[in-house]
Amino acid sequence: MKNKVTNILVCGVGGQGVLLFTDILGEVAMNAGQDVKKSEVHGMAQRGGSVVSQLRFGPVVYSPLITETQADFIVALEKLEALRYIHYLSPRGRVLVDNLEILPMSVLTGEREYPQNTVERLRKRTKRLYIVEAFKLAQELGEVRVQNIVMLGSLSRFLDFPEELYEEAIKKYVKVKYHEINLKAFRLGREQLKVSKSRNNYE
């Protein structure tokens, strides 16, 4: 990771904290001495629409945009959103996805059906698929809004940054009264991926 640019695409729907996720991770990378570029699309975010943010970091980064088939990681806070952006994944890339369904407006109004067998379809695209029950774990913590931080903890398993940098960045971007719950979520996410890898052996 030290000598190359790392490309991370984070996706979800409005209200899931996609932008906070990349703000925190970008801060971590920058404090580790990396050049960082970031872009985001969130046109219908406040109405539960799709939200995507792209983060790139490395010794030198010239563009904030990830081209198709070049994402080292796709982190999806909702299953359909993972499927929506899977074409960005590189041949050796990894997908971390929450096993969560949020019905889009087109499904709620009956115009379309929610895609079936989403996880199986993702698995056909990559063997490097990691299911993280982030929303469920956030519920157990008593605060569903930390779902994104659970996912960040899981992703951190693959990155070389010290855990302390994540904790400092979380404290910078989250209000003081929410520090403790977010740090718990981060650590739980790290532990969850460790358990998932040993049980499912996806690699």
Side-chain angles (χ1 to χ4, degrees):
M1 188 179 74
K2 294 179 179 178
N3 298 318
K4 70 179 285 286
V5 173
T6 299
N7 299 319
I8 299 176
L9 186 148
V10 185
C11 54
V13 301
Q16 287 192 292
V18 168
L19 305 184
L20 177 61
F21 185 112
T22 50
D23 281 344
I24 292 174
L25 185 53
E27 179 79 12
V28 170
M30 190 168 62
N31 289 339
Q34 301 280 292
D35 189 19
V36 178
K37 296 286 189 303
K38 177 174 174 282
S39 68
E40 55 196 49
V41 176
H42 48 100
M44 296 292 287
Q46 292 184 339
R47 297 183 181 182
S50 180
V51 182
V52 60
S53 184
Q54 299 184 359
L55 184 72
R56 306 186 72 219
F57 54 83
V60 179
V61 181
Y62 294 103
S63 168
L65 299 178
I66 302 171
T67 55
E68 294 184 8
T69 72
Q70 297 300 310
D72 299 297
F73 297 93
I74 291 178
V75 180
L77 305 184
E78 199 276 344
K79 288 193 293 189
L80 176 58
E81 297 306 311
L83 204 56
R84 192 189 305 278
Y85 294 102
I86 193 65
H87 56 289
Y88 278 88
L89 188 69
S90 76
R92 295 188 59 78
R94 292 179 169 88
V95 177
L96 283 70
V97 59
D98 192 340
N99 191 27
L100 173 69
E101 292 183 3
I102 298 177
L103 303 184
M105 187 59 68
S106 59
V107 174
L108 292 173
T109 58
E111 295 178 16
R112 295 185 177 181
E113 293 184 355
Y114 192 93
Q116 299 297 308
N117 305 319
T118 308
V119 171
E120 288 73 17
R121 292 169 68 178
L122 289 169
R123 196 163 285 151
K124 287 181 179 178
R125 298 292 300 268
T126 178
K127 293 181 180 178
R128 298 182 170 194
L129 177 68
Y130 302 87
I131 307 298
V132 181
E133 300 281 358
F135 185 81
K136 181 180 178 182
L137 291 169
Q139 278 184 314
E140 291 173 2
L141 285 174
E143 178 53 85
V144 296
R145 290 179 296 179
V146 300
Q147 175 206 11
N148 57 341
I149 305 301
V150 175
M151 292 296 285
L152 178 63
S154 294
L155 176 66
S156 72
R157 284 286 185 184
F158 294 106
L159 306 177
D160 292 337
F161 304 128
E163 192 171 338
E164 293 74 20
L165 289 185
Y166 291 96
E167 294 183 358
E168 291 172 6
I170 288 170
K171 289 178 180 177
K172 177 177 178 179
Y173 279 90
V174 173
K175 292 181 179 178
V176 173
K177 63 180 180 179
Y178 299 117
H179 281 180
E180 184 177 350
I181 189 69
N182 277 272
L183 293 175
K184 282 183 179 178
F186 176 78
R187 293 163 188 154
L188 194 56
R190 285 179 63 85
E191 184 63 25
Q192 168 70 8
L193 186 63
K194 181 181 178 182
V195 172
S196 295
K197 288 175 69 176
S198 63
R199 286 180 178 172
N200 298 314
N201 192 29
Y202 289 137
E203 285 191 308

